[in-house]
Amino acid sequence: MRVLVVTAVPVERDAVTRASGAADEVSVHRVPGAEIHRAGPFDVLAGGAGPAAAAASAAFALAADRYDLVISAGIGGGFAGVAPVGSLVVAGRIGVADLGAETSAGFAPVTELGFGRVWHFPPRSLVKAVVAATRAVTGDILTVSTVTGSAGRTAALLAAHPGAVAEAMEGFGVAEAAERLGVPVLEIRAVSNAVGPRDRDAWRIGDALAALTEAFGKLTPVLEGWIHHDRNDS
C-alpha cells in the first residue's frame, strides 16, 4: 500500500509522520518540486498553502511515483454546531467555495459560467470506513483562498453550502491533481478554530495537530482493507 499525504506546512507534515511512532525511521527523499518524508505506508509532503501550491506539489509527487490513494490533510476551520475545535472532519465532498465570478445577482460558481468543476467526490466506502475508525464528522469541506474572518462571510458560505462542516485551503487543489493522475482522493482535517470572526487567541493549533496524529495512527488498517478489498466498490 502506498499513500501520498499532502499537507500545507511542515508542522502538519510532522504531525502525520509522528503517527508511525518511529521518528528515527522517517526517511526523506526528493522529487522535482517536493520533499517527501516516508513514514510507514505514508509519503508525506508539505506542499505549501493554498490550492495552487497544493495542486502543483501533489502533481509532481503523483507523476514521480505510483500511489493507491492521495490524502489532503492538515488543520482547518470548523463550522460551529457541527465541527467543534479539536474534532476531526472527513470530506464526503471536496468543494471550492470561491472559484467563479461576481455578478449583479451575487457570486456565480465557475460551473454556472459554463466550464470547470466545483466538487470532487472521495470514495464513499472509504469515507465511511475512515469515519467509523476515527469517529470523525463527515460533510462538505470547502477550499477557500482566503480564510473566513467575519460573521457575514460565514453566513454566506453556509447559505451557499448548507452541507459544509469545515473550510481549509488545499483540498480542492490536491483533488484536481489526483483526478488528472487517476488516483482516488480523501480529505481529512483536524479543527483548530471556528469559522467566523478571526480570534487567534481562541485557536487550538496544538490540540488540532495532536488530533491529526491520533487519526493517522488509526488509518493504516482501514486503508489497507479498503485498497485491497473495497476499492472497486467505492
Side-chain angles (χ1 to χ4, degrees), residues 1-4 29-32 36 38 41-43 45 57-70 181-183:
M1 177 181 74
R2 297 289 304 283
V3 178
L4 176 67
H29 66 284
R30 291 172 173 80
V31 299
I36 294 177
R38 181 163 294 168
F42 302 120
D43 280 9
L45 64 88
S57 59
F60 273 120
L62 289 168
D65 211 336
R66 182 179 180 87
Y67 291 96
D68 299 293
L69 175 70
V70 58
L181 275 297
V183 182

Side-chain angles (χ1 to χ4, degrees), residues 142-180:
L142 306 179
T143 297
V144 295
S145 295
T146 301
V147 174
T148 299
S150 69
R153 177 59 176 160
T154 303
L157 284 176
L158 287 174
H161 306 286
V165 295
E167 71 170 22
M169 300 181 74
E170 293 79 34
F172 191 81
V174 173
E176 286 281 276
E179 190 274 337
R180 283 161 171 73

Side-chain angles (χ1 to χ4, degrees), residues 35-191:
E35 178 183 278
I36 294 177
H37 290 219
R38 181 163 294 168
F42 302 120
D43 280 9
V44 193
L45 64 88
S57 59
F60 273 120
L62 289 168
D65 211 336
R66 182 179 180 87
Y67 291 96
D68 299 293
L69 175 70
V70 58
I71 302 176
S72 176
I75 63 176
F79 286 96
V82 290
V85 172
S87 65
L88 191 76
V89 295
V90 175
R93 300 192 300 176
I94 301 169
V96 60
D98 50 13
L99 181 62
E102 289 292 336
T103 74
S104 59
F107 177 77
V110 68
T111 49
E112 291 187 11
L113 306 179
F115 54 90
R117 72 175 74 198
V118 293
W119 294 107
H120 285 278
F121 302 90
R124 288 173 293 181
S125 62
L126 178 59
V127 171
K128 183 178 179 180
V130 171
V131 167
T134 62
R135 298 187 177 182
V137 174
T138 188
D140 298 341
I141 298 181
L142 306 179
T143 297
V144 295
S145 295
T146 301
V147 174
T148 299
S150 69
R153 177 59 176 160
T154 303
L157 284 176
L158 287 174
H161 306 286
V165 295
E167 71 170 22
M169 300 181 74
E170 293 79 34
F172 191 81
V174 173
E176 286 281 276
E179 190 274 337
R180 283 161 171 73
L181 275 297
V183 182
V185 67
L186 186 70
E187 184 171 9
I188 299 173
R189 297 283 163 183
V191 177

